[in-house]
Amino acid sequence: MKTAFITGANVGQAFLLSRALADRGWRVFAGVLPGAPTELKTEGNITVVDQDVSNTASVTESARIVTEALNGQGIDLLMNVAGVANQATGVLEGVDLAKAERLFHINTFGQLRVIQAFLPLLRKNVPGARIANYSSGAILASPVGAGIYNMTKHAIHGMTLTLRQELRPLGIEVTSIIPGGVLTGMSANAHVNTKNSWAEQRADLLKVYEPLRNTYCQVLPDMLEKTGSSPEQALEGTLEILAKKQWKPMEYLGKDVKPMGVMKRILSDSQLEAMMRKTFKIPAYKG
């Protein structure tokens, strides 16, 4: 029986993945934010573990609980899925830095905390132990108004690249999973969320960045609803990635992001940027 720890399992993709792996015979420890509503329960192959990835003490305690439950054994897979969006949104000039720091504490440092705490358990199951860090297709598309989120996901992939070098001699494989839009709770009500976020920006910046309003409030949410993957499609893609014998530095997940991965390989950075501007209908400077 293989063993996995999955963060952010109270909802969304981590919730579905916890159930899917358990159904396939894995022993799954599912990290759930304390007090967060969830249908996930400790039953069968699933053990629910309280874990707030933004809190070092909470992460340390979750690792202790898993270590005790395994009684000397290790884990085969760490899935760093926990993360949030729809915070510290808007053009970078107007972003609330306190909210930006909070987003980094959850999305980026949250993954690092978990890795630091669970690496001793992964080392017990080498060779073959694995870490999958969820980044985002945002690092390819660079959507306007999501700059801080994009920054946290770039940092995650940078962490992955270093871990691939540091952990390869130890028999641990690492990848960044690059999902596109997935129609889950995090992306629900995209049109309402973007319009509210736009309206919350400073009045002076609303005038300055008026040329981007259509891109931010209409084009981007339209694209998410049109090209985003269903939760079931994303789950199937994730299971396909986990079944691969060898991981690439980036593993693309979703019908919208896979073509961008191909274009990233064949286009220059400037060409890809120009294509993204055209896709997102970002207007040129008119003077």
Side-chain angles (χ1 to χ4, degrees):
M1 178 182 288
K2 289 190 175 183
T3 303
F5 188 93
I6 303 174
T7 71
N10 55 297
V11 293
Q13 282 298 290
F15 172 85
L16 296 176
L17 185 60
S18 296
R19 284 187 164 179
L21 289 183
D23 288 344
R24 286 161 174 75
W26 285 65
R27 183 177 185 182
V28 177
F29 291 92
V32 171
L33 182 67
T38 182
E39 296 179 7
L40 204 62
K41 299 177 181 178
T42 295
E43 57 185 1
N45 291 342
I46 297 177
T47 302
V48 173
V49 180
D50 281 350
Q51 184 188 71
D52 178 353
V53 299
S54 69
N55 184 289
T56 301
S58 176
V59 172
T60 301
E61 176 62 11
S62 69
R64 186 198 65 77
I65 290 171
V66 175
T67 300
E68 184 177 284
L70 289 174
N71 193 28
Q73 297 180 335
I75 63 173
D76 301 284
L77 175 66
L78 172 62
M79 296 288 292
N80 257 322
V81 188
V84 295
N86 300 324
Q87 295 186 22
T89 55
V91 295
L92 286 171
E93 184 177 355
V95 164
D96 184 316
L97 291 181
K99 292 181 179 179
E101 290 176 359
R102 174 64 178 165
L103 199 62
F104 266 93
H105 265 296
I106 298 171
N107 287 4
T108 305
F109 298 130
Q111 291 200 15
L112 179 57
R113 287 184 185 95
V114 173
I115 289 168
Q116 288 180 335
F118 282 82
L119 265 174
L121 287 170
L122 288 158
R123 286 199 294 269
K124 291 183 178 182
N125 282 22
V126 295
R130 288 176 149 189
I131 302 172
N133 298 322
Y134 268 61
S135 180
S136 172
I139 71 173
L140 303 176
S142 303
V144 299
I148 301 299
Y149 178 81
N150 190 15
M151 289 162 64
T152 68
K153 296 300 185 175
H154 269 287
I156 286 168
H157 184 55
M159 178 179 66
T160 291
L161 295 178
T162 299
L163 286 170
R164 284 175 63 86
Q165 304 286 41
E166 293 180 349
L167 300 182
R168 183 179 178 85
L170 307 185
I172 300 173
E173 191 175 16
V174 191
T175 192
S176 288
I177 293 183
I178 311 294
V182 182
L183 302 175
T184 63
M186 184 180 288
S187 57
N189 303 314
H191 283 88
V192 173
N193 288 337
T194 52
K195 288 178 181 178
N196 288 342
S197 173
W198 183 264
E200 289 171 359
Q201 296 182 94
R202 295 193 335 242
D204 61 317
L205 294 182
L206 287 176
K207 294 180 181 179
V208 171
Y209 289 97
E210 174 62 23
L212 291 176
R213 183 173 64 84
N214 182 61
T215 296
Y216 188 60
C217 297
Q218 195 67 45
V219 177
L220 289 172
D222 279 352
M223 289 184 65
L224 174 60
E225 292 184 354
K226 182 179 179 180
T227 65
S229 300
S230 70
E232 293 75 20
Q233 289 171 326
L235 174 62
E236 181 180 351
T238 303
L239 293 173
E240 289 175 359
I241 291 170
L242 295 182
K244 290 185 176 183
K245 292 183 178 180
Q246 189 171 2
W247 280 344
K248 299 175 182 177
M250 285 185 177
E251 293 288 348
Y252 300 103
L253 173 62
K255 59 185 179 181
D256 55 346
V257 78
K258 285 183 177 180
M260 285 196 290
V262 174
M263 289 181 280
K264 182 178 183 295
R265 292 195 295 270
I266 64 177
L267 299 178
S268 70
D269 289 345
S270 295
Q271 289 172 327
L272 182 60
E273 181 184 61
M275 189 191 70
M276 289 294 102
R277 285 186 186 139
K278 183 177 180 179
T279 300
F280 296 146
K281 300 181 180 179
I282 296 176
Y285 176 66
K286 295 182 179 179

